[in-house]
Amino acid sequence: MTIMGFAVNVWQLFILRLLQGAISGFIAASLAFVSATTPPGRSGYAIGVLQSTVAAGGIVGAMFGGALSDLIGMNNVFFVVGSLCLVSAGIIIKYIVEPPEVSEKSQSSSVVKNFRFAATNSKLRNILMLIIFTQISIVFVTPIIPFYLENLGTPIKYLSTITGIMVGVAGIFSVIFAPFWGRRNDRTGYGRILFLAASATTVSMTAQAFAPNYIVLFVIRAITGVFSAALIPTLYAAFNKSLPDDSRSGLMGFASSATLLGNLFGPIISGFIAAHLSMRACFLISAGFMAIAIAYSYLVKRKENMVILNF
């Protein structure tokens, strides 16, 4: 992150971003750690809280990053982020203690063994597909937000700051509501929560395509944040409850990898759609991916006569 501040062209930045993606596995490690050390009856809530912290980082990063880029320049923002990563490393070294039993279980499994298990287990495989489709939908429009805001008449002078706020507002409501949805997951079937949240997110994503100005878009994105907060934690919790104890932490890493695949494919497809169709079409296609996730879960359940998410 620090070296990115010294990049002089887009290709240097691209290579550094690839390197960042290769070595920044702390979200997956956090998810695996929480899943392996939380009692089964509280896993939904714990994963919801973890997702809140991830969303909180997105809020602070987007809002302060946008404001700082206006105040101190984009290059200096990378130096700030590098310093924050160093602080995080210190916190991990000082406070994170891995229980011996978790370490022993992790050593008994391997990446190849875990991958084979996930690939041959139809329930896990289908949940991973749902995670990919859902995450594609969630992040699909993020790259075009500043251009869409400009198209809606946002003052150019404050475009970076308003973009940060616009991206952050969904995260704010995700932070607030993710623990709520997590508690609901521990008490009710995952399928009901997923269907409600995905349906509402589909509608709100569609509504964003027809927002007349950035004030209305702000309100709609807040609503999107309320319901999208339930999606990935619900799928994570369902995946977690289907795992054997001796390889839980390793397999949860695949759930995180599915999320990262969604993060990869979403912006790439979105950029192509925005360039060849329109920015409003991106919101409609984002809603379409969410609808695909809903349809996929029902089709698989009907075809295989199996309960994937306890509908």
Side-chain angles (χ1 to χ4, degrees), residues 6-190:
F6 297 102
V8 296
N9 58 57
V10 69
W11 294 110
Q12 290 180 4
L13 183 62
F14 176 73
I15 292 171
L16 290 169
R17 291 284 288 175
L18 289 177
L19 179 61
Q20 178 194 354
I23 64 179
S24 58
F26 39 82
I27 300 297
S30 299
L31 178 62
F33 184 79
V34 169
S35 301
T37 58
T38 303
R42 299 281 289 171
S43 61
Y45 174 70
I47 291 173
V49 171
L50 177 61
Q51 194 68 14
S52 287
T53 67
V54 174
I59 295 167
V60 175
M63 295 179 68
F64 282 90
L68 283 174
S69 67
D70 286 337
L71 292 173
I72 64 176
M74 292 184 183
N75 287 52
N76 291 322
V77 173
F78 289 100
F79 304 144
V80 173
V81 175
S83 300
L84 292 174
C85 290
L86 190 62
V87 172
S88 298
I91 293 173
I92 292 167
I93 292 170
K94 183 173 178 60
Y95 293 107
I96 300 299
V97 179
E98 185 172 321
E101 62 272 17
V102 174
S103 180
E104 291 172 3
K105 290 176 181 177
S106 298
Q107 292 173 5
S108 67
S109 61
S110 67
V111 174
V112 174
K113 179 182 176 181
N114 288 336
F115 178 80
R116 187 181 297 115
F117 182 84
T120 56
N121 186 301
S122 58
K123 185 173 184 178
L124 297 182
R125 188 172 62 245
N126 287 316
I127 294 176
L128 290 174
M129 290 299 299
L130 286 171
I131 292 173
I132 293 173
F133 285 130
T134 299
Q135 189 65 17
I136 287 175
S137 176
I138 291 173
V139 303
F140 197 84
V141 300
T142 302
I144 68 163
I145 288 294
F147 307 105
Y148 192 54
L149 286 171
E150 185 178 2
N151 191 52
L152 292 178
T154 303
I156 300 297
K157 182 178 179 180
Y158 304 107
L159 183 60
S160 293
T161 301
I162 293 176
T163 298
I165 294 173
M166 195 66 66
V167 173
V169 67
I172 290 173
F173 283 89
S174 291
V175 168
I176 296 171
F177 282 90
F180 165 78
W181 294 116
R183 291 191 189 94
R184 297 284 297 178
N185 283 332
D186 287 331
R187 293 198 301 263
T188 62
Y190 298 123

Side-chain angles (χ1 to χ4, degrees), residues 300-307:
V300 173
K301 177 187 174 184
R302 184 175 179 180
K303 179 180 179 180
E304 300 185 8
N305 193 29
M306 62 182 291
V307 178

Side-chain angles (χ1 to χ4, degrees), residues 123 127 130 189-192 194 234-235 238-239 297 306-311:
K123 185 173 184 178
I127 294 176
L130 286 171
Y190 298 123
R192 295 184 182 90
L194 182 67
T234 296
L235 291 167
F239 190 82
S297 63
M306 62 182 291
V307 178
I308 299 177
L309 294 168
N310 296 325
F311 280 96

